[in-house]
Amino acid sequence: MFRRKAHSHKSAARFLFHHWGSPVEIESITKCITASYSFLLLLRFDLPQSAMSLGYAEKLSYIEDVGNVGMTEIYDPPHILQEKIERLTMMIRKSKHLVVFTGAGISTSCGIPDFRGPTGIWTLQRGGNALPEASLPFHRAMPSRTHMALVELERAGILKFVISQNIDGLHLRSGIPREKLSELHGNSFMEKCTSCGIEYFRDFEIESVGLKETPRRCSNADCDVKLKDTVLDWEDALPYEEMNPAEVHCEKADVVLCLGTSLQITPACNLPLKCLHGGGKVVIVNLQKTPKDKKASLVIHGFVDEVIGGVMDLLNLRIRPFVRIDLLQTIFTQAMSLDQRYVNWTLRIASAHDKRALIPFIKSVEVSFSDHTMKEAVLDKHPFQLKRRTVWKIEPFDVILKVNFSEGCGCACSRIKIPIDFHVSRDDLTRDKDHVFGKLKSKAIKSSSCGHNSVIERKMLTSPKTEVIIRAIVTNVRWYDEITVKTSGAGSLSKCSLKRRKEGKNETEAARKLPKGQYRHN
């Protein structure tokens, strides 16, 4: 576990007393801190560490000056924090064009470390300290309360655009439409065709940074060129297709809300100030001072999740659960033996993104059969593949897969049944992906569990005879409420969580098409 160092309640109170020169007695402040202490622990101190920033920092080219790091964190006293939350809520209510500008601070509660905080990656590196061991796979990080609140604000028509400096892909995973998002520094899970512009959002981290070629090619038959990663290295310029809409929306904005960013990296840090020329206002929510504080109409020193959670309560907007759906494909290939008595067949469980890619959410696959005379098998390493020979005259049977999930998933496994009949050919099948995703999410929320799966596409090939089926599987469900964040498989839900789940049990979160160029979740 990677934890930020927590002061005792009284020492924290003394810090507040000394910093603000408040006349409030230390014991009074201590009571306020104690009242919200469990909430703060949940948000910041009790989450597993993700490998994201560790791997990203190591991939970047070496640079001596990464800006100010290790700056002191500041916490507004509870009563002042509440007053500021109310002011921010009023500004959002009155806003006609709200833009949100995000940094690493909105993802620390997801288990992803920041860079410049007291225990940030670059802070540790500058001090010659070892980086922490990662216990949460980067690809399994889930959106925070803030990520999901932004989705609700966008759906309500309040939030017009999001500009992110983060590369963790959590804005897209949470449900922010691609056309309403600029990822200035790229996305660790996105690769792009520079010929036709199609973007591919993967379930695995792309191998490189610096806009380099990846091992995969564009699936567009007219292109077939190698894809490139989208994450910038230090020397790379901000891409026009991300920077231009960001500038346009900042110029239109009447409020630019900066969340969890030190506003040090140029030219991105100057974007929020563009709203000032048209009479707009800048609001900064960050635990450290920033170079832009003097330009802001409101500066809030508090945990981003606590601030945005308070705003959502005052706006009477509920944050719906996050449901993660991953894809896999099963490939069943068969061929007759030379004597026409046997069928040689192969079953492969592969990534829907690329047949050669690892499937990061699968640990192993147990294979059994409805015909109990057939020998069971355990596939525990990539590629997950089983080869068998079966007599041609055998009756139809089912292959039953128990797909065991890897660390970070919300449940242990999912079960898949594949009917096999050597004597009958099935037709191709294509279902609406958004509809399938919507039904799976509704089912996951209603049952408060994951592991549900459904077929999206079936394709029959003739030479050799092959059936390829792409399936969608629910691998995580997370609920958000005022006090707790609960994940399926992580324990029982609070009464509040249960109430909210029942209220929203028929709601769906249809996956959205993202037409910036084009976008594919495969």
Side-chain angles (χ1 to χ4, degrees), residues 113-156:
D114 59 22
F115 294 93
R116 293 185 174 81
T119 50
I121 299 303
W122 290 334
T123 305
L124 294 174
Q125 287 181 333
R126 179 171 288 184
N129 299 309
L131 298 181
E133 289 292 325
S135 60
L136 173 69
F138 178 31
H139 59 84
R140 296 314 306 177
M142 284 187 286
S144 66
R145 177 182 284 106
T146 299
H147 286 103
M148 299 306 296
L150 296 182
V151 173
E152 297 302 333
L153 289 171
E154 186 277 322
R155 285 176 174 156

Side-chain angles (χ1 to χ4, degrees), residues 59 187-188 190 205-216 228-231:
K59 290 176 185 176
N187 185 326
S188 287
M190 187 82 78
E205 187 176 0
I206 307 303
E207 300 86 343
S208 60
V209 302
L211 313 180
K212 299 181 181 69
E213 288 186 348
T214 72
R216 291 159 293 279
K228 290 188 176 183
D229 74 72
T230 61
V231 175

Side-chain angles (χ1 to χ4, degrees), residues 362-382:
I362 296 181
K363 179 172 62 177
S364 64
V365 180
E366 298 175 37
V367 185
S368 59
F369 304 90
S370 59
D371 183 341
H372 298 296
T373 64
M374 302 178 73
K375 187 178 179 181
E376 298 179 352
V378 177
L379 313 176
D380 56 6
K381 61 182 179 180
H382 179 82

Side-chain angles (χ1 to χ4, degrees), residues 402-430:
K402 181 186 176 187
V403 179
N404 297 311
F405 293 144
S406 60
E407 180 187 10
C409 294
C411 60
C413 65
S414 180
R415 298 181 185 276
I416 295 172
K417 184 170 72 172
I418 306 173
I420 303 297
D421 188 342
F422 294 138
H423 311 287
V424 176
S425 293
R426 295 202 284 177
D427 296 328
D428 289 354
L429 171 69
T430 302

Side-chain angles (χ1 to χ4, degrees), residues 8-9 13 16 30 64 66 83 95 105 122 140 144 147 166 205-206 228 234 274 283 290 371 404 458 467 486 498:
S8 69
H9 296 177
L16 293 172
T30 302
E64 184 70 30
V66 295
E83 289 174 4
S95 173
W122 290 334
R140 296 314 306 177
S144 66
H147 286 103
N166 298 339
E205 187 176 0
I206 307 303
K228 290 188 176 183
W234 286 110
K274 289 185 178 293
V283 178
T290 82
D371 183 341
N404 297 311
R458 181 175 63 237
E467 179 184 72
K486 288 290 185 181
L498 285 170

